[in-house]
Amino acid sequence: MASVFEVLAEPRRREILDLLRDGERPVGDLVRRLHMTQPAVSKHLRVLRAAGLVEVRQDAQRRWYRLRPEPLTEIDTWLEPYRRMWSASLDALERHLDAMEER
């Protein structure tokens, strides 16, 4: 199975997750908003579902998709050292600017 990073490397899949961030949506709504064909959207949803990033709920003839944020912790964990690095760099910049101001 592809990693979350591999799955999210595709820009259209990130767009789908962005749309689902606000709540669940039927496939037809995703098709309209993305200006893609239904088979193309369904293909991306299948990949997202296999990675555990979305789940589906059947309601009569409609399939509703919603975001599952738990798998995104893999990305969050990977980004943490970079956040610390940027935070340290910004703190150093702030100290430097404060020192310049005092001169």
Side-chain angles (χ1 to χ4, degrees), residues 13-66:
R13 293 186 196 130
R14 293 192 307 269
E15 287 181 63
I16 290 170
L17 293 184
D18 288 344
L19 289 170
L20 295 175
R21 191 175 49 219
D22 297 329
E24 69 178 6
R25 295 181 183 274
V27 174
D29 184 56
L30 295 171
V31 167
R32 279 188 301 282
R33 290 177 176 270
L34 295 167
H35 306 287
M36 295 173 64
T37 64
Q38 189 276 326
V41 171
S42 291
K43 177 184 171 190
H44 288 302
L45 287 168
R46 247 188 326 276
V47 173
L48 289 167
R49 212 170 144 199
L53 289 162
V54 300
E55 59 188 13
V56 66
R57 173 177 68 85
Q58 186 81 34
D59 181 28
Q61 298 299 318
R62 296 176 108 184
R63 295 173 67 86
W64 292 77
Y65 284 85
R66 70 178 150 256

Side-chain angles (χ1 to χ4, degrees), residues 89-102:
S89 295
L90 291 173
D91 289 346
L93 175 61
E94 182 179 26
R95 286 190 302 275
H96 175 73
L97 292 175
D98 287 346
M100 286 178 60
E101 224 174 66
E102 290 173 4

